[in-house]
Amino acid sequence: MMYQLPDEPLTPEPRMATNQLTVPVLIVGAGPAGLTASLALSRYGIEHLLVEQYPGTAHTPRAHIVNQRTVEILRHLGVEDRFHAVATPAAMMRNNLWVTSLAGREVARSETWGTRADRAAEYELASPVGMANCPQTVFEPLLATAARDAGADIRFEHVFEHAEVHADGVTSTVLDRATGDRLVVHSQYVLGADGARSKVLSQAGLTVEGPAGLAQAANIWFRADLREYLEHRPGVLVWNVMPGASGALHLGTLICHKPFEEFVLAFIYDPAELDPMAMSEADQIAMVRAVVGDEGLAVQLKGVACWQVNAQVAPRYSAGRFFCLGDAVHRHPPSNGLGLNMSVADAYNVAWKLALVLTDRADPALLDTYSDERQPVGAQGVQRAITSLGELAAVDRALGLEPGQSAEDGWAALRVLDEPGPAGDARRAALREAVALTDYQFNAHGVELGYRYRSAAVIDDGSPEPVPQRDPELYYTATSRPGARVPHARLERDGVDLSTLDLPTDLGFALLTGCGGEAWAQAAKQAAAETGVEIDVHLIGASDLRDPYGEWAARREVATDGCVLVRPDRHVAWRCDRLPADAPDVLTRVVQQVLGAHPTTARSKR
């Protein structure tokens, strides 16, 4: 049975009944961004309403790559175990294949998502968690269930119509599609997680910049038993390089969502020649069989979805009481698997700030740092995704495959790969180089983990910017510099393993210090008393919190009596090389500044 939803939801004739609701936060959209925000706010004890125009969560798989940073966020939100129970682990994501068909010739293979021997150790050293593969059809219900379990009010078939801003908040009108009633929601803030056609974005007066409609693409979602073709070389992506096949993706790209039985076939099409939504089931099955190379394959169709290649990002993510996140503010191809991950991180960033502001522990100025921090990450992600998409063409060029080329000429070009001598050597070398270039898409560890925030909620320590020793897109370098995610180091407390990333709790800050830094405890007590924010001091290396492998000592970049102050989102707010004589006053000023107070002269004393 094919399940499709219209681009715009159908609505009944509205009735006159109007209901009123007052909540601190209204979230619009139940995708990865909106649901993560709902789960986080629920954990922080912030009442909110989430409305979604459609009847449920994602009805096609869409995004699926879940990188280490996102799994860390799920860990901090208490759902890591639920996630791993339904996700495909990294070991099953290992191989990228380039084939003429799945049953035909394999011309190239690469190891991806940190599974190659020379990269696997780096991924393991960087985080307490691994990557995984989890389609939105699984990911979103997991988040929705967890958020509701935590007390969230989530209402499907509720359409955000418009909002009016006034002195003390926002009044939004929401249409209940099931009844035709309207709900008037009074909130202090509105989160727009309502996708690429965001009404909240336009309501806030925000825009996106960059080209749209660079290409038109479609996904055929299906079930088939492909074990015989993939069990010995499991992975997520199979790229087609069939000679003579037209289009940038040839016969299409196979995406494995559940080994080895649930897949999506993605392909580029010309709207003047094809309407994927009007394709017959027989035509869809024929396309699947062609890319697999098995004319007798049993195929169960599950759905079709169209999408377009964009390269857009919003110059600002927020305006006044409106905060936009996810696809509302960054729109790009699925290259690098960044979309879902950036959406989750957007939500995680804004949620803790909203929670502290709404509980009067931070100045509303803290909310201005949301856009300052997340917009550069989104801009980098969009640029990387569109660049990676273009770099894929290098494989075709290396193979001698050209647009408009006949099948006969294409097969002749492929046969050069098997020739001895200079021509074959050159083609094989070119192919190796082209496949290696795809590391920028499939092993871009620095893009995934290495970004640093720069905002008023990050206090510079005055140290010079380091010069990267390796490509910062491909490689993650652990650092305790302000703005960076705190480096993962394996610790041990009472015989239980934990990570430095586990030390902050919900809305609390963590101050990491070591031998000689005991006085930071009194400093934290004063700062907490004056700001109302919990600051837990951790003496790493002490008897109750061991650094058994010396990893924190190697990565902290401050003296043992110095400190690294970590925000609730696990990014470093500030660091101090040595314990200053006036530590209580220095730390108090720093925390006040991070929470939105006017800048002071508080600096680490290096």
Side-chain angles (χ1 to χ4, degrees):
M1 173 69 72
M2 302 287 287
Y3 177 41
Q4 300 171 198
L5 286 176
D7 289 341
E8 294 294 338
L10 301 174
T11 58
E13 288 296 323
R15 302 188 318 195
M16 296 302 294
T18 301
N19 301 308
Q20 305 276 331
L21 179 66
T22 299
V23 289
V25 180
L26 171 65
I27 303 172
V28 182
L35 290 168
T36 300
S38 178
L39 176 57
L41 290 175
S42 297
R43 280 187 60 91
Y44 301 151
I46 302 300
E47 187 182 4
H48 62 279
L49 170 67
L50 187 155
V51 297
E52 165 59 51
Q53 62 180 333
Y54 290 116
T57 51
H59 67 292
T60 58
R62 304 183 214 172
H64 52 98
I65 297 296
V66 184
N67 67 31
Q68 286 177 300
R69 184 64 190 126
T70 297
V71 181
E72 289 172 358
I73 291 170
L74 299 177
R75 177 187 182 97
H76 308 326
L77 294 178
V79 294
E80 181 190 4
D81 289 345
R82 294 192 193 190
F83 172 74
H84 286 306
V86 297
T88 299
M92 299 297 286
M93 302 167 64
R94 185 181 191 107
N95 295 293
N96 257 10
L97 307 176
W98 283 265
V99 301
T100 57
S101 70
L102 198 54
R105 175 171 181 172
E106 178 187 315
V107 300
R109 188 189 302 192
S110 69
E111 292 173 295
T112 57
W113 313 118
T115 59
R116 198 171 66 217
D118 64 325
R119 301 304 304 273
E122 297 197 4
Y123 277 67
E124 184 174 352
L125 287 170
S127 176
V129 301
M131 297 186 67
N133 195 44
C134 187
Q136 279 182 246
T137 47
V138 177
F139 189 79
E140 289 181 8
L142 179 153
L143 290 179
T145 299
R148 280 177 162 158
D149 288 348
D153 184 353
I154 300 175
R155 304 187 189 186
F156 292 99
E157 294 197 273
H158 278 66
V159 183
F160 171 84
E161 293 186 321
H162 59 84
E164 295 180 3
V165 181
H166 41 85
D168 58 351
V170 183
T171 299
S172 302
T173 302
V174 175
L175 174 65
D176 182 339
R177 291 175 58 200
T179 66
D181 293 344
R182 282 194 165 85
L183 175 65
V184 176
V185 182
H186 305 284
S187 65
Q188 294 184 51
Y189 300 101
V190 176
L191 300 187
D194 48 339
R197 288 173 289 188
S198 173
K199 290 182 180 179
V200 177
L201 186 84
S202 58
Q203 184 76 62
L206 298 169
T207 59
V208 293
E209 295 180 351
L214 296 173
Q216 302 297 319
N219 291 345
I220 298 174
W221 181 23
F222 68 95
R223 291 178 63 88
D225 183 0
L226 301 185
R227 185 174 302 275
E228 67 174 295
Y229 305 113
L230 290 171
E231 189 171 27
H232 64 290
R233 48 181 181 177
V236 174
L237 295 168
V238 179
W239 302 92
N240 184 264
V241 289
M242 174 64 79
S246 61
L249 300 181
H250 296 267
L251 296 179
T253 300
L254 276 176
I255 306 166
C256 181
H257 287 296
K258 183 178 180 181
F260 300 97
E261 60 189 46
E262 187 172 310
F263 301 83
V264 158
L265 172 61
F267 59 95
I268 303 294
Y269 69 94
D270 182 347
E273 299 178 357
L274 177 68
D275 177 5
M277 305 305 290
M279 290 177 63
S280 69
E281 293 194 0
D283 287 342
Q284 294 174 51
I285 291 172
M287 289 186 68
V288 170
R289 288 173 172 170
V291 79
V292 174
D294 184 346
E295 291 302 317
L297 181 70
V299 178
Q300 176 190 355
L301 297 172
K302 292 179 66 67
V304 177
C306 294
W307 51 281
Q308 64 181 16
V309 176
N310 302 320
Q312 298 179 310
V313 65
R316 290 288 302 171
Y317 282 15
S318 62
R321 295 180 179 272
F322 295 94
F323 300 87
C324 293
L325 48 160
D327 287 354
V329 286
H330 41 78
R331 307 164 190 177
H332 48 88
S335 323
N336 290 76
L338 293 173
L340 178 152
N341 298 285
M342 292 197 301
S343 299
V344 167
D346 289 344
Y348 194 52
N349 183 288
V350 75
W352 72 270
K353 296 172 180 177
L354 278 171
L356 288 180
V357 169
L358 287 166
T359 54
D360 295 324
R361 286 176 281 178
D363 190 278
L366 175 62
L367 299 176
D368 294 336
T369 67
Y370 164 65
S371 182
D372 293 340
E373 293 182 352
R374 290 304 303 168
Q375 195 280 340
V377 177
Q380 181 196 27
V382 170
Q383 184 58 53
R384 180 66 258 166
I386 202 70
T387 301
S388 291
L389 186 64
E391 289 170 346
L392 281 171
V395 174
D396 271 9
R397 291 194 296 270
L399 293 172
L401 303 179
E402 301 174 358
Q405 185 181 52
S406 69
E408 181 181 2
D409 288 344
W411 282 110
L414 284 186
R415 285 194 290 271
V416 177
L417 283 173
D418 303 320
E419 292 181 4
D425 288 343
R427 180 138 296 172
R428 290 184 288 271
L431 180 58
R432 287 194 298 271
E433 291 177 5
V435 170
L437 184 62
T438 67
D439 270 2
Y440 282 94
Q441 179 171 178
F442 305 117
N443 288 301
H445 205 203
V447 174
E448 295 166 0
L449 285 186
Y451 55 84
R452 279 177 56 206
Y453 293 151
R454 292 169 173 83
S455 75
V458 173
I459 312 302
D460 183 25
D461 67 349
S463 61
E465 288 287 332
V467 177
Q469 300 301 301
R470 300 188 296 175
D471 190 315
E473 287 195 304
L474 287 179
Y475 300 100
Y476 164 73
T477 299
T479 179
S480 68
R481 293 186 64 81
R485 160 189 161 279
V486 68
H488 160 61
R490 291 175 293 173
L491 306 176
E492 182 182 284
R493 175 177 283 149
D494 298 328
V496 177
D497 295 335
L498 70 158
S499 166
T500 43
L501 287 153
D502 297 326
L503 297 178
T505 56
D506 285 341
L507 295 176
F509 283 63
L511 189 147
L512 315 187
T513 187
C515 180
E518 290 82 0
W520 284 112
Q522 183 59 39
K525 184 176 181 180
Q526 175 180 309
E530 295 198 26
T531 63
V533 171
E534 181 181 351
I535 305 171
D536 292 327
V537 177
H538 301 275
L539 270 71
I540 300 176
S543 59
D544 66 330
L545 185 58
R546 299 182 59 241
D547 182 13
Y549 304 105
E551 290 177 350
W552 178 245
R555 298 171 191 174
R556 66 180 182 235
E557 300 176 322
V558 297
T560 56
D561 67 341
C563 79
V564 176
L565 182 66
V566 186
R567 309 186 322 187
D569 62 351
R570 279 65 176 178
H571 281 258
V572 176
W574 172 72
R575 67 180 181 179
C576 184
D577 188 52
R578 303 300 297 257
L579 176 69
D582 57 344
D585 292 337
V586 170
L587 183 60
T588 298
R589 290 196 300 270
V590 163
V591 175
Q592 288 172 335
Q593 186 174 340
V594 171
L595 296 177
H598 291 296
T600 71
T601 57
R603 291 273 182 165
S604 63
K605 299 190 176 181
R606 300 184 64 85

